[in-house]
Amino acid sequence: MRIILPAVFLAMIQAQTPPAPPAAPDPVKTLVERLDLEKYKATIKGLTQFGDRRQGTDRNRAAVDWIEAQLKSYGCPTDRIKYVYDPPPAGGGRGRPNTGLAVGGGRPRGDKIPTGVNTDPMKQPDEKLRALNMQPTTPGPREMVYCTKVGTTHPEEMYIVGGHMDGHGWGEAANDDGSGTALVMELARVFNAPDVKTERTIRFALWNNEETGSQGARAYIAQRQDLQGKENPPGSGKYPEPKWLGMIQHDIMLFDHGMPLPDGTMRKEQRAEADVNIEFQSNSKMAAESMKLAWVFEAANEKYATDYPAAVGPHMTNTDSGPFIDIIPAISLRENERGVQIGNGWDPQWHQPTDVYATYNDKDFRLGLNAAQTTLGAVAGLTGATLNK
Ligand SMILES: [Zn+2]
């Protein structure tokens, strides 16, 4: 009895303790659950009606108009950046020195499939799509669209969530980068629902001219960097360009079928180990801050992504976060690492006529949806998102 008594007393005390109140529901989880595979697919499909959306063409301009109309319909006020793109003359041989390393700095492994940009219309077997992509690009004025969710308590600070809406290669640019553009648009939809508030501002940017060297993102920086954090008009509480807290790019989100097989073919299905690749650039002024931001996204993936995990890598390159790497924390999310994996041929549709909506199945689209869950979860946390009752 002397041994059992304390246990009995403990049980009596516990019985008198009122039960803990149920934990308040996590508003971020509720927001993530508003993402939907069919809606994400429908937005990608909508973008593919403009073919490869090559910069400097009518189909690219029509896509910018269509994206802007969708963003407005989500209740996200839009604006445009205007700039001029005059490409340098072709040639000049600016090849990279052969270091044995991939672009961005990583070391390639395994079997490789050659990559490149298709420029031959006749490689597109779909005659309707070939005709849609026929108009050539011409130098001149360009536009890109963004929309903004203004923060309630810190409107003067913001995160930029981006994807590039232009493509090339005579397909539909369904994956590169319809998948990233649709992800950004779906996040704009969720964050701009009438019952959602964020303490800080979020800007949803659909860059143009990524495929020619991120001239859209560079124009944005050139025109707006010096406006950061300035209230205008003074005393209005309005900040046309909030201070940049981070830039998160989404560029090719769907296809992780593993590395090329020794016979130069690919697995037909998404690999079971597919992951979302979060990259920062270790060779940049903001490397430490960017790495920290990357791990915030990895943690958000663990908490909110339903199917696929995330991996962090240090070799981010060749995307619209690039022009930001020495200015602010900057990362990218992709289906694979850009340098050692996509550069080694892990995505055989990349810049090819086969990058069309019909190439992908739900396991592919679901990887993009998991990247959307990752970014939505991370950005909702970073900006203090809450739901009105
Ligand atoms: Zn891309």
Side-chain angles (χ1 to χ4, degrees), residues 75-293:
C76 192
T78 60
D79 216 328
R80 291 192 181 203
I81 299 283
K82 299 180 183 182
Y83 58 100
V84 173
Y85 178 56
D86 282 319
R94 47 187 188 99
R96 293 192 314 122
N98 187 2
T99 58
L101 297 179
V103 57
R107 186 172 152 202
R109 319 268 180 167
D111 292 301
K112 183 180 168 111
I113 292 178
T115 60
V117 180
N118 174 57
T119 55
D120 179 1
M122 295 319 290
K123 293 220 169 114
Q124 177 50 259
D126 179 337
E127 285 176 30
K128 219 175 130 199
L129 180 54
R130 191 193 308 151
L132 179 60
N133 285 333
M134 213 61 184
Q135 188 193 42
T137 175
T138 47
R142 300 283 186 271
E143 297 192 13
M144 59 159 282
V145 64
Y146 62 81
C147 79
T148 309
K149 165 87 177 175
V150 178
T152 51
T153 58
H154 288 284
E156 77 286 4
E157 295 180 350
M158 75 170 172
Y159 287 88
I160 306 171
V161 176
H164 72 86
M165 52 70 61
D166 66 312
H168 57 179
W170 295 88
E172 291 175 338
N175 192 10
D176 186 11
D177 187 27
S179 64
T181 299
L183 184 159
V184 174
M185 293 170 69
E186 288 298 289
L187 263 58
R189 178 178 65 77
V190 171
F191 275 113
N192 285 281
D195 62 344
V196 180
K197 275 199 183 111
T198 59
E199 293 173 357
R200 288 181 168 73
T201 297
I202 310 169
R203 179 155 290 167
F204 303 90
L206 290 316
W207 313 108
N208 204 345
N209 277 92
E210 190 275 344
E211 298 291 5
T212 50
S214 291
Q215 283 83 12
R218 290 176 207 281
Y220 181 93
I221 293 172
Q223 292 178 24
R224 306 199 64 86
Q225 183 171 9
D226 291 343
L227 307 177
Q228 282 181 82
K230 289 184 182 156
E231 192 182 33
N232 189 11
S236 65
K238 292 197 163 76
Y239 297 85
E241 192 64 29
K243 182 179 165 13
W244 306 341
L245 300 181
M247 158 66 187
I248 304 107
Q249 172 79 351
H250 304 81
D251 195 352
I252 322 190
M253 315 311 298
L254 304 182
F255 190 89
D256 186 359
H257 292 210
M259 62 165 56
L261 300 170
D263 65 358
T265 65
M266 295 291 297
R267 290 167 192 82
K268 297 286 172 252
E269 287 283 325
Q270 194 80 293
R271 64 177 176 145
E273 304 81 8
D275 56 9
V276 177
N277 288 90
I278 303 166
E279 296 186 272
F280 66 99
Q281 177 48 260
S282 56
N283 184 23
S284 67
K285 282 187 191 154
M286 298 299 286
E289 294 84 351
S290 299
M291 177 173 71
K292 201 172 153 196
L293 184 64

